Amino acid sequence: VPLLQAAGKKNSLNLLGLTEAELKEQFVRGDGPGGQATNKTNNCVVLKHIPSGIVVKCHQTRSMEQNRKIAREILQEKIDLFYKGEDSDVFKEKKASEKKKQEKKRRAKENLERKKHFKEMQQLDKK
């Protein structure tokens, strides 16, 4: 299940294909903010991949067609992760972005330490 959290990347090219026969699609009312516009329309897409049992719920836009497209993209990435695991491109992209984020955080921390040290040196020079 934690592997499936990595889905959501848009630039994966080598994903497993989906066939419409393997999918079960439902349209439900969305939830969250939006009031009457949300409560009256069934534009939230619930997509289930029958062989794997993976379910995706998408209500990112007001358009049902856009939500259908986005739901299929997310489901395709989750299925790729489910079957390929750590060999999946989506997983590799997620790991690379985490590594980049950690490196940025480390550099920021080093910078902060340098500034702190510089201020201490200035304080000593003034005395």
Side-chain angles (χ1 to χ4, degrees), residues 22 59 65 70 87 123:
E22 296 175 334
H59 187 232
E65 289 303 315
I70 294 168
D87 295 332
Q123 293 294 327

Side-chain angles (χ1 to χ4, degrees), residues 111-126:
N111 240 355
L112 191 65
E113 289 294 322
R114 268 192 237 116
K115 286 180 183 178
K116 191 175 179 182
H117 182 68
F118 182 71
K119 283 186 178 181
E120 288 174 0
M121 295 303 285
Q122 280 182 333
Q123 293 294 327
L124 289 175
D125 287 345
K126 286 181 181 179

Side-chain angles (χ1 to χ4, degrees), residues 30-42:
D31 56 350
Q36 186 177 12
T38 301
N39 297 336
K40 286 180 75 173
T41 58
N42 289 340

Side-chain angles (χ1 to χ4, degrees), residues 18-32:
L18 289 178
T19 59
E20 291 296 318
E22 296 175 334
L23 303 178
K24 180 180 176 188
E25 186 174 46
Q26 288 181 299
F27 302 102
V28 296
R29 288 197 178 108
D31 56 350

Side-chain angles (χ1 to χ4, degrees), residues 50-89:
I50 298 168
S52 65
I54 296 174
V55 177
V56 170
K57 185 176 180 182
C58 180
H59 187 232
Q60 292 182 6
T61 68
R62 292 175 66 180
S63 166
M64 186 187 309
E65 289 303 315
Q66 286 179 344
N67 286 334
R68 289 180 76 200
K69 183 181 178 207
I70 294 168
R72 279 171 172 69
E73 289 171 0
I74 294 171
L75 183 66
Q76 189 175 19
E77 292 172 0
K78 285 193 177 201
I79 289 170
D80 192 63
L81 278 169
F82 182 77
Y83 287 116
K84 290 184 181 176
E86 292 184 8
D87 295 332
S88 171
D89 289 344

